Amino acid sequence: MTTTPLAADADGVWQCPIDLRRYDRSPVLSKAEQHAIRGLSVRNLRRLRHHDADAPQWAEVGRLLRPLQDVNASFDLPPSMRVRRAMHDAVAVLLLRSAEMGRAFWGWSEQEWLNFLGRNHTAYRDQVPAWAEGYVRPFLCDHAYHLGGYAGFRHLGHFDRLSLACRIFGRHLVEEKIARIRTLLTGWGYQYGKEDDKGVPSVMSQLFLLNRSPHSSDLTSQFFDRVRGEELLTEGGMRVLYAVQRAVSALGFCDPPATLSGSAVVNHAGVPAVWAQWVERWNDTTTMTHRSRLQARAALLKTGRWIAAQHPEAADPAAWTRQTCAAWIAAVDRMEIGDYVVRTSSFAERLGQPLQAASKAGLIRSVRVFFRDIQEWEWLRPSFDPLRALSVPRSINALLGPRPRVIADDVWAKLLWAGLNLESADIPRGKAGPIYPLELVRVVTLTWLFAGQRSNEIARLRLGCVRWQHDGTPVAGDSEHILARDSVCLLDVPAHKTGTAFTKPVDPLLGQAIEAWEALRPQQPKRTDKRTGEQADFLFSYRARPVSSGYINSSSIPMLCRKAGVPAADVRGNITSHRARSTIASQLYNAKEPMTLFELQAWLGHRSPESTQHYAKISPNTLTKAYDDAGYFARNVRTIEVLVDRETVASGAAAAGEPWQHYDLGHGYCTYTFFEQCQHRMACARCDFYTPKDSTKAQLLEAKDNLQKMAVSIPLTEDEQAAVTDGQTAIDQLLGRLADIPTPSGPTPRQLLPIVEVRRDTDDDR
């Protein structure tokens, strides 16, 4: 058998060896051709025996036989008896089928080819032995591809597309192109790159066949879009197509596949056309981040639906006045969940509930920014000041403020334990096995548990983001490269929501986990950082794309909650990635040796302490300790020791007026029964109720056996508090103010002063 050489691949352009222009492609079979095919019979057609070259039957079918033989000669197959017989059988079956239909294979439709090639079709089963059916059918597909332009192999069920592509394009060329794609995918961490996986070879073969070229350089973006749009692959093949296009894109032959992440479907239903045009024009011009722009546009379209329902005359922003602004703010203040939106399935259980203050402020803020921008850009002549007319009302502003949603300490401790003890059985899995390797899942989880960063910042960490600050004391072993004792781990955080890149200390455990992942991480292509616009090597990148910023919420947290045995929500709401930031900040703020507010501000990467207040919350224990240390009760109450003379009470002398309560003033005793009402209690004027401790009467009192000691709490006035806390100066001032206030016995301290001096002199003489 002669074989036509395959087209060279030197210039990257594959040329089909079958030039259809050389053949007579008339679809109608003449009567003579039909009689000739039947006259040759199955036996001669199968073996292509033309002992008599001049036999009229062979001459009549010459125009049909020539292209079939050329196709057989173009196959890249080793010559063997079995292969030769299968190719001859294929020719015989095609000729017989053409005679039955009265039309040559040139004129068969795609559906007729499908009916002929389908597994349940018996058109050629009667013509060939059962054992040969599996060999004949692939060659029939080859002829259908070359001569009939048939490429609907997705409808043929289980079918070896790789063998078909190798026969048509050449095994060496096809395997070389597939190996290049598989090498890329394997390096990125795809399971498709393994030798035992048939997904990539099958899909690549189908793409080559559909594109009629075995070169990856011919797989353009438009071709991939057509394959998706017309669903030219099986369901499993469509899943592999995404990875294949990414590899072809990395080779520079097409654009990367479009993703739905970060995109949103714009629904202008119910929005006036003129308002929608202004919104889209503003959206195309503003320099907000992508996410903020989407949120603002959604709020503006909601405003447009309110305009259509309540104020159709204000559909054009030029028609807005201060009265329109006031009406909009009033409507927002009374708005409920589900008002002026198109899709409500995601919050159906909350329909009809009032909007929260933060949502109201966001709606008002979006409209304010919209009008501020279009006025500053001189698209609209100012008719009001947006900063004043669309300011958030005080009633709404009063409900806004710091409200950290801290996770309870016991729940957080369990989540920490779960993150430190992750096992292979805990990680999320797909149909083909683990979605990400255990090492990647573990390091992402530990970063969330220890770094205190936003999920977007975690997803955008770079390779080499961990550095170590040593104290110069090497650990036993390699003195140059082994971590020092008590080394500080520093984490480089990229530019983020509120500021530029910065460096913060983290637990060394996190640094070790990150370095362990860096050692195992497959080589990944650089990706564009959407926030900074630079090409970067993302730390958490696998299969040539970064781990999604939503991975922590959708996978990591549910995984940790399952392992820790804690619910995924508490009284403050669902456990989310951002709540870890509040929890860690609050724990650092309430530690035994806490961070100050400014230190915590630097650790979180905030521009101002006001932002930090939204994360750091004083714990009840810390507040209780501070309250106790402040001594509120002790500051306002003075405890006085009282001696109760039980003998005087028991004998009845107390009823006769004999003193039985003796208030200990330190330098003496006061026997005034209503001592707590005496204005001179903290600055005793030494009236008749006073008994000095060094007197004989006081000594006799203390010597009694039936004396009972008690403690009485006496509330203090402000002057008395000052006398207790501020010292002698406050006492002197208190004495001066009480100099003319009568004592319980009647005289004032000024009147008692000479008597007191006489008593002191008498005592000194003694």
Side-chain angles (χ1 to χ4, degrees):
M1 179 182 66
T2 60
T3 302
T4 303
L6 294 170
D9 193 30
D11 57 357
V13 178
W14 182 79
Q15 297 293 336
C16 180
I18 306 301
D19 186 0
L20 300 181
R21 295 173 299 179
R22 297 183 301 173
Y23 308 115
D24 179 1
R25 291 183 290 166
S26 174
V28 179
L29 286 185
S30 65
K31 296 291 185 179
E33 289 174 329
Q34 297 183 42
H35 287 303
I37 294 174
R38 295 190 181 97
L40 287 171
S41 74
V42 176
R43 182 178 181 183
N44 289 328
L45 289 175
R46 285 187 57 201
R47 299 183 180 181
L48 292 183
R49 292 181 177 177
H50 8 53
H51 299 291
D52 186 359
D54 297 329
Q57 292 93 338
W58 292 113
E60 289 294 341
V61 299
R63 77 175 184 96
L64 302 176
L65 189 59
R66 189 178 309 112
L68 296 176
Q69 290 178 317
D70 289 346
V71 171
N72 284 344
S74 71
F75 294 147
D76 182 18
L77 288 173
S80 67
M81 184 61 68
R82 176 174 294 181
V83 169
R84 187 178 298 109
R85 287 179 177 176
M87 290 192 296
H88 293 175
D89 288 342
V91 171
V93 170
L94 281 168
L95 291 175
L96 291 171
R97 181 60 176 169
S98 297
E100 290 178 6
M101 296 178 63
R103 286 184 291 114
F105 40 78
W106 306 112
W108 295 0
S109 66
E110 182 174 351
Q111 184 61 43
E112 288 174 330
W113 277 110
L114 176 60
N115 295 337
F116 177 67
L117 298 173
R119 278 193 170 276
N120 297 326
H121 186 61
T122 59
Y124 61 86
R125 289 187 178 181
D126 297 334
Q127 315 296 334
V128 298
W131 61 268
E133 178 185 343
Y135 297 98
V136 174
R137 186 167 179 258
F139 288 101
L140 293 175
C141 294
D142 297 336
H143 287 281
Y145 181 79
H146 276 304
L147 304 178
Y150 181 78
F153 302 112
R154 70 186 186 281
H155 302 301
L156 299 182
H158 180 70
F159 184 73
D160 192 352
R161 277 80 172 172
L162 177 60
S163 297
L164 176 61
C166 290
R167 287 195 300 271
I168 293 175
F169 303 116
R171 181 171 298 276
H172 175 74
L173 181 59
V174 171
E175 291 182 347
E176 177 188 350
K177 301 302 181 182
I178 293 177
R180 191 177 185 187
I181 299 297
R182 297 183 74 170
T183 301
L184 273 176
L185 296 179
T186 303
W188 293 344
Y190 273 100
Q191 300 295 320
Y192 298 137
K194 294 183 177 180
E195 290 297 328
D196 58 347
D197 185 85
K198 304 301 182 183
V200 169
S202 177
V203 169
M204 290 293 295
S205 299
Q206 292 184 76
L207 295 179
F208 292 156
L209 293 169
L210 290 169
N211 205 33
R212 309 192 76 83
S213 170
H215 296 292
S216 302
S217 57
D218 294 333
L219 300 176
T220 63
S221 302
Q222 293 76 12
F223 171 72
F224 280 107
D225 292 341
R226 182 172 72 87
V227 172
R228 287 193 179 87
E230 299 178 12
E231 297 183 356
L232 299 180
L233 299 180
T234 61
E235 181 179 353
M238 295 298 289
R239 290 195 295 266
V240 182
L241 183 67
Y242 180 84
V244 170
Q245 185 175 356
R246 299 189 67 205
V248 175
S249 171
L251 296 175
F253 301 139
C254 71
D255 296 329
T259 60
L260 294 178
S261 59
S263 64
V265 178
V266 181
N267 193 332
H268 291 160
V271 181
V274 61
W275 180 267
Q277 292 172 1
W278 276 91
V279 171
E280 294 305 324
R281 184 184 179 190
W282 172 86
N283 181 72
D284 295 338
T285 309
T286 182
T287 57
M288 286 183 175
T289 61
H290 179 69
R291 183 175 180 180
S292 299
R293 190 164 64 247
L294 292 178
Q295 293 174 344
R297 180 167 60 177
L300 292 173
L301 294 179
K302 188 172 185 175
T303 308
R305 297 185 185 97
W306 170 80
I307 292 172
Q310 303 296 333
H311 292 271
E313 73 282 356
D316 190 336
W320 274 57
T321 63
R322 288 185 63 90
Q323 289 73 23
T324 312
C325 296
W328 165 241
I329 292 177
V332 170
D333 189 44
R334 296 163 178 79
M335 199 169 288
E336 297 177 346
I337 296 176
D339 291 348
Y340 306 111
V341 296
V342 177
R343 299 180 59 184
T344 61
S345 56
S346 59
F347 45 84
E349 68 281 357
R350 296 186 293 128
L351 288 177
Q353 298 180 10
L355 288 182
Q356 295 184 356
S359 300
K360 296 177 181 179
L363 286 172
I364 298 174
R365 188 182 304 113
S366 297
V367 178
R368 180 173 68 245
V369 171
F370 170 72
F371 276 100
R372 181 204 66 188
D373 288 346
I374 63 177
Q375 288 183 8
E376 288 185 355
W377 299 337
E378 297 183 353
W379 294 357
L380 193 68
R381 179 174 296 179
S383 58
F384 60 90
D385 182 4
L387 300 182
R388 295 185 60 186
L390 290 168
S391 62
V392 179
R394 182 180 300 177
S395 59
I396 298 177
N397 243 340
L399 302 177
L400 302 174
R403 194 184 61 171
R405 296 198 302 152
V406 178
I407 301 173
D409 288 346
D410 57 334
V411 175
W412 186 247
K414 293 179 180 179
L415 293 176
L416 280 174
W417 170 87
L420 293 171
N421 293 276
L422 279 182
E423 299 174 349
S424 179
D426 301 322
I427 64 177
R429 295 176 177 270
K431 294 182 179 180
I435 300 174
Y436 291 119
L438 174 62
E439 294 78 11
L440 176 56
V441 176
R442 178 184 288 124
V443 71
V444 171
T445 302
L446 291 180
T447 305
W448 177 67
L449 290 169
F450 286 95
Q453 294 303 125
R454 303 176 182 91
S455 59
N456 173 268
E457 297 162 6
I458 294 175
R460 293 171 46 248
L461 289 175
R462 315 292 174 78
L463 272 181
C465 62
V466 167
R467 295 182 287 116
W468 298 90
Q469 179 176 312
H470 310 288
D471 64 357
T473 306
V475 181
D478 187 352
S479 60
E480 295 182 2
H481 304 291
I482 301 298
L483 297 180
R485 297 183 188 276
D486 301 325
S487 296
V488 177
C489 180
L490 300 177
L491 180 69
D492 293 331
V493 181
H496 52 97
K497 176 182 178 181
T498 58
T500 57
F502 69 101
T503 301
K504 62 190 295 185
V506 293
D507 195 283
L509 183 66
L510 175 58
Q512 295 167 12
I514 290 178
E515 289 188 337
W517 164 244
E518 287 180 339
L520 298 173
R521 175 183 178 271
Q523 184 67 30
Q524 304 288 305
K526 290 188 176 183
R527 303 277 293 186
T528 301
D529 190 324
K530 293 183 179 180
R531 182 168 293 276
T532 64
E534 59 185 356
Q535 292 286 306
D537 284 316
F538 291 114
L539 173 65
F540 303 133
S541 183
Y542 197 69
R543 302 191 192 99
R545 58 179 173 179
V547 173
S548 169
S549 59
Y551 177 77
I552 294 176
N553 278 336
S554 63
S555 299
S556 294
I557 293 177
M559 172 189 65
L560 290 178
C561 291
R562 286 194 302 269
K563 185 173 181 63
V566 299
D570 55 17
V571 294
R572 295 182 178 91
N574 293 330
I575 297 179
T576 62
S577 62
H578 209 64
R579 291 188 62 182
R581 187 168 165 87
S582 300
T583 302
I584 297 173
S586 297
Q587 290 187 358
L588 293 174
Y589 193 62
N590 292 281
K592 186 175 182 180
E593 296 182 5
M595 281 186 173
T596 65
L597 187 63
F598 294 100
E599 292 170 341
L600 192 58
Q601 171 193 345
W603 193 81
L604 292 174
H606 288 149
R607 287 188 181 272
S608 65
E610 288 78 8
S611 299
T612 309
Q613 292 176 2
H614 288 266
Y615 294 87
K617 180 179 182 180
I618 298 179
S619 67
N621 292 338
T622 303
L623 196 60
T624 300
K625 184 178 183 302
Y627 178 80
D628 292 340
D629 293 343
Y632 169 77
F633 184 76
R635 184 179 185 275
N636 292 279
V637 176
R638 182 78 172 180
T639 302
I640 302 294
E641 188 178 64
V642 182
L643 302 181
V644 178
D645 189 351
R646 298 180 63 183
E647 181 181 353
T648 303
V649 176
S651 63
E658 185 72 17
W660 58 279
Q661 285 180 312
H662 304 271
Y663 293 88
D664 189 350
L665 304 178
H667 48 75
Y669 295 103
C670 179
T671 60
Y672 183 50
T673 304
F674 304 101
F675 173 81
E676 68 278 1
Q677 300 178 9
C678 178
Q679 300 185 48
H680 302 271
R681 59 193 175 190
M682 298 303 297
C684 185
R686 303 328 194 246
C687 67
D688 295 341
F689 291 96
Y690 177 77
T691 303
K693 275 195 174 182
D694 54 359
S695 65
T696 304
K697 186 175 181 181
Q699 294 174 0
L700 292 175
L701 174 67
E702 293 175 355
K704 289 186 176 183
D705 294 335
N706 59 351
L707 196 65
Q708 182 177 356
K709 295 183 178 181
M710 300 179 61
V712 177
S713 297
I714 306 297
L716 305 181
T717 64
E718 292 184 0
D719 292 337
E720 292 170 342
Q721 293 173 22
V724 173
T725 58
D726 297 343
Q728 187 61 42
T729 302
I731 293 177
D732 294 341
Q733 293 176 355
L734 181 61
L735 289 173
R737 284 193 292 272
L738 297 176
D740 298 320
I741 302 299
T743 63
S745 60
T748 65
R750 196 183 303 277
Q751 296 171 345
L752 291 174
L753 186 60
I755 301 175
V756 173
E757 295 296 335
V758 171
R759 288 180 178 175
R760 288 178 179 173
D761 293 341
T762 305
D763 293 339
D764 292 341
D765 293 340
R766 293 178 183 175

